Amino acid sequence: MCVEVSVVVPTLNEQGNIVALVERLESAFSGIEWEVIFVDDDSVDGTADLVRKIGATNRRVRCVHRIGRRGLSSACIEGMLASSAPYLAVMDADMQHDEALLLRMLQVLKRGETDIVIGSRYMEGGTIGLLEPSRQIISRVASRISRWVMKTECSDPMSGFFMLSRDVFQSTVRKLSGIGFKILFDILASSPRALRVRELPYEFRTRQAGTSKFDATVAWEHVMLLLDKMIGHIVPIRFVLFSAVGLLGLAVHFSVLAIFFRLISLNFEISQALATLIAMTSNYLVNNVLTYRDVRLRGSGLFLGLLSFYAACSVGALANIGVASYVFGAGEKWWVAGLGGAIVGGVWNYSVSSVYTWKMFRKA
Ligand code: GDD
Ligand code: MN
């Protein structure tokens, strides 16, 4: 019998929820051929082991175990790509999403007039249960902003609970950003055509076991996702952030230079050298928590990464001076030459640090 619907469940330390969720799916889908694919990002609590153990005797249960990677959205994408069912659902492992909705979602999709069915907390009849007030505000503000970049109207674009047909997923998958926590929003904003949405209200329940993974990183990644959807087709979003941090570094450089040279009256060369070192270091640290937050370096990796960043930037500085001198020598205005050098140096620094610094030292 062919599997009709695959439920993709991203997991990060959800060991205490797996057994109960499988049982609930079992009863929610009676009479339907279904499977569940847990996509686990190498949880330390043994989630993947447990899923494989259940899967050894229950062929409906599968595990995609990802090592060295993180992210709710990218996990969902890989889970959906790992299945071949004609209908795909995404839901959380912690039982906050009401599994009783799944069958109705499937029925709606099967009628063929809808591309995607969304479980909504915000429409008439839905509730956000006991979500803390601060999270409620963040969720509503995020929904409001996100509507600007979406092609479709819907009351809960931040929902993590939905079902869509394989065709719709396949037609969107190459356009997805795969950044952050909000796979539904990514799909709605990336689809080449406005999707026909149907929403079903449900009560967002409280978590059963384990803890929420929502934190500052998740919020920041959503900002990255929004930027990516707005300008990512023109220039890589990390490059935009890297350049913005570079401008900030310029301000740091001049402030430090002014302090050492004018205020403390150190000699110019030493002041300039110190200003360069401090600006480079602060650029590195700011990029590490913003631009590369998802692959942030820590501990010894943070230190080795810094050394590699110095090395990359030194070559970048030489390229900068070389290009600027050449352009200036060719008779261009001083600021054109300066800008040209800065751009070449910046692109160099970005390229090298992105493929070297923030890749090499992650496991150091
Ligand atoms: N594989 C993987 N990788 N799974 C993850 C990751 C990750 O980096 N981060 C979180 N998860 C899993 C969790 O284990 C859980 O099953 C699910 O994603 C949701 O994480 P929670 O930490 O429970 O998120 P939440 O309750 O704050 O928010 C969820 O529900 C909202 C309402 O539908 C998310 O799905 C939100 O996107 C959604 O808006
Ligand atoms: Mn949750």
Side-chain angles (χ1 to χ4, degrees):
M1 193 58 178
C2 305
V3 174
E4 200 164 0
V5 49
S6 286
V7 183
V8 173
V9 180
T11 56
L12 193 60
N13 301 324
E14 301 288 359
Q15 212 248 14
N17 289 312
I18 305 297
V19 172
L21 181 65
V22 173
E23 277 167 11
R24 285 177 183 221
L25 290 174
E26 205 84 61
S27 41
F29 277 126
S30 68
I32 303 281
E33 284 301 321
W34 61 281
E35 67 176 355
V36 56
I37 302 178
F38 289 94
V39 187
D40 186 66
D41 282 352
D42 214 13
S43 297
V44 292
D45 70 349
T47 303
D49 291 336
L50 175 61
V51 172
R52 278 189 291 264
K53 196 169 148 229
I54 302 172
T57 57
N58 183 347
R59 59 167 64 228
R60 295 191 192 282
V61 179
R62 293 167 54 195
C63 178
V64 173
H65 186 158
R66 307 199 303 171
I67 296 175
R69 274 178 305 151
R70 271 289 160 85
L72 205 172
S73 277
S74 63
C76 293
I77 295 169
E78 282 180 42
M80 290 191 268
L81 286 171
S83 98
S84 30
Y87 297 101
L88 303 162
V90 168
M91 79 189 290
D92 294 345
D94 55 7
M95 255 86 64
Q96 293 195 273
H97 297 153
D98 183 358
E99 66 287 340
L101 224 58
L102 288 165
L103 200 57
R104 284 178 53 212
M105 288 175 160
L106 183 63
Q107 286 160 353
V108 171
L109 283 179
K110 276 182 161 176
R111 274 185 240 133
E113 290 146 18
T114 309
D115 295 314
I116 184 161
V117 189
I118 300 167
S120 168
R121 298 163 288 177
Y122 296 132
M123 73 190 294
E124 184 80 42
T127 72
I128 35 177
L130 299 174
L131 196 65
E132 310 101 73
S134 59
R135 279 291 305 271
Q136 291 187 25
I137 296 170
I138 294 173
S139 175
R140 281 180 195 278
V141 171
S143 305
R144 181 102 5 121
I145 299 172
S146 304
R147 283 202 191 102
W148 298 341
V149 283
M150 274 182 351
K151 301 184 177 76
T152 323
E153 257 311 303
C154 99
S155 70
D156 194 359
M158 301 292 108
S159 175
F161 184 32
F162 61 93
M163 193 186 287
L164 78 176
S165 70
R166 153 117 4 231
D167 296 343
V168 171
F169 172 68
Q170 294 297 150
S171 70
T172 311
V173 65
R174 286 166 205 282
K175 302 236 171 349
L176 296 175
S177 302
I179 302 171
F181 229 55
K182 305 298 180 181
I183 176 65
L184 171 64
F185 165 74
D186 199 353
I187 292 174
L188 293 175
S190 311
S191 167
R193 65 180 168 88
L195 296 179
R196 296 167 302 171
V197 170
R198 171 81 189 277
E199 295 186 274
L200 299 177
Y202 78 100
E203 182 188 342
F204 190 62
R205 298 183 296 219
T206 42
R207 200 176 232 285
Q208 287 258 317
T211 50
S212 171
K213 278 78 202 178
F214 182 87
D215 59 11
T217 299
V218 168
W220 173 247
E221 279 180 353
H222 193 60
V223 174
M224 299 252 294
L225 173 61
L226 284 171
L227 289 172
D228 190 51
K229 286 279 93 94
M230 289 186 236
I231 51 175
H233 53 290
I234 305 169
V235 28
I237 200 63
R238 285 202 212 263
F239 182 63
V240 174
L241 291 170
F242 194 88
S243 307
V245 173
L247 287 180
L248 195 78
L250 211 61
V252 171
H253 184 105
F254 279 106
S255 315
V256 175
L257 184 61
I259 291 171
F260 286 140
F261 184 59
R262 300 295 298 271
L263 234 60
I264 312 182
S265 305
L266 283 183
N267 89 18
F268 182 77
E269 282 75 21
I270 293 180
S271 303
Q272 172 72 356
L274 284 172
T276 307
L277 197 70
I278 290 173
M280 244 178 346
T281 311
S282 80
N283 272 12
Y284 170 73
L285 294 173
V286 177
N287 274 316
N288 193 45
V289 293
L290 289 183
T291 319
Y292 292 100
R293 192 176 184 100
D294 53 334
V295 288
R296 196 164 6 152
L297 303 174
R298 297 167 202 267
S300 60
L302 185 67
F303 179 68
L304 294 173
L306 176 63
L307 298 183
S308 80
F309 191 73
Y310 286 153
C313 291
S314 313
V315 180
L318 287 178
N320 177 341
I321 295 168
V323 169
S325 314
Y326 175 78
V327 175
F328 188 67
E332 286 296 339
K333 292 199 177 64
W334 63 270
W335 61 267
V336 175
L339 190 65
I343 290 174
V344 170
V347 170
W348 165 274
N349 291 348
Y350 168 71
S351 314
V352 174
S353 61
S354 69
V355 298
Y356 189 57
T357 304
W358 276 284
K359 285 228 169 84
M360 269 299 280
F361 303 104
R362 278 175 62 188
K363 295 219 176 82

PDB file of all heavy atoms in Angstrom, residues 92 94 96 207, ligand 2:
ATOM      1  N   ASP A  92       5.327  20.021  15.052  1.00  0.00           N
ATOM      2  CA  ASP A  92       6.345  19.930  16.091  1.00  0.00           C
ATOM      3  C   ASP A  92       6.209  18.632  16.873  1.00  0.00           C
ATOM      4  O   ASP A  92       5.154  18.006  16.868  1.00  0.00           O
ATOM      5  CB  ASP A  92       6.226  21.113  17.052  1.00  0.00           C
ATOM      6  CG  ASP A  92       6.544  22.432  16.360  1.00  0.00           C
ATOM      7  OD1 ASP A  92       7.109  22.398  15.260  1.00  0.00           O
ATOM      8  OD2 ASP A  92       6.216  23.480  16.937  1.00  0.00           O
ATOM      9  N   ASP A  94       6.417  18.400  20.154  1.00  0.00           N
ATOM     10  CA  ASP A  94       6.083  18.589  21.571  1.00  0.00           C
ATOM     11  C   ASP A  94       4.592  18.576  21.889  1.00  0.00           C
ATOM     12  O   ASP A  94       4.194  18.959  22.992  1.00  0.00           O
ATOM     13  CB  ASP A  94       6.715  19.891  22.070  1.00  0.00           C
ATOM     14  CG  ASP A  94       6.303  21.077  21.212  1.00  0.00           C
ATOM     15  OD1 ASP A  94       5.439  20.906  20.331  1.00  0.00           O
ATOM     16  OD2 ASP A  94       6.857  22.173  21.418  1.00  0.00           O
ATOM     17  N   GLN A  96       2.273  20.466  20.886  1.00  0.00           N
ATOM     18  CA  GLN A  96       1.583  21.758  20.949  1.00  0.00           C
ATOM     19  C   GLN A  96       0.603  21.891  19.787  1.00  0.00           C
ATOM     20  O   GLN A  96      -0.349  22.652  19.842  1.00  0.00           O
ATOM     21  CB  GLN A  96       2.593  22.908  20.923  1.00  0.00           C
ATOM     22  CG  GLN A  96       3.438  22.953  22.174  1.00  0.00           C
ATOM     23  CD  GLN A  96       4.187  24.269  22.338  1.00  0.00           C
ATOM     24  OE1 GLN A  96       5.281  24.429  21.825  1.00  0.00           O
ATOM     25  NE2 GLN A  96       3.580  25.202  23.030  1.00  0.00           N
ATOM     26  N   ARG A 207       3.449  22.728  25.954  1.00  0.00           N
ATOM     27  CA  ARG A 207       4.428  21.695  25.677  1.00  0.00           C
ATOM     28  C   ARG A 207       4.272  20.524  26.639  1.00  0.00           C
ATOM     29  O   ARG A 207       4.020  20.734  27.830  1.00  0.00           O
ATOM     30  CB  ARG A 207       5.803  22.341  25.860  1.00  0.00           C
ATOM     31  CG  ARG A 207       6.911  21.624  25.206  1.00  0.00           C
ATOM     32  CD  ARG A 207       8.154  22.447  25.397  1.00  0.00           C
ATOM     33  NE  ARG A 207       8.789  22.657  24.099  1.00  0.00           N
ATOM     34  CZ  ARG A 207       9.456  21.705  23.481  1.00  0.00           C
ATOM     35  NH1 ARG A 207       9.599  20.523  24.013  1.00  0.00           N
ATOM     36  NH2 ARG A 207       9.997  21.940  22.309  1.00  0.00           N
TER      37      ARG A 207
HETATM   38 MN    MN B   2       6.942  24.016  20.889  1.00  0.00          MN
END
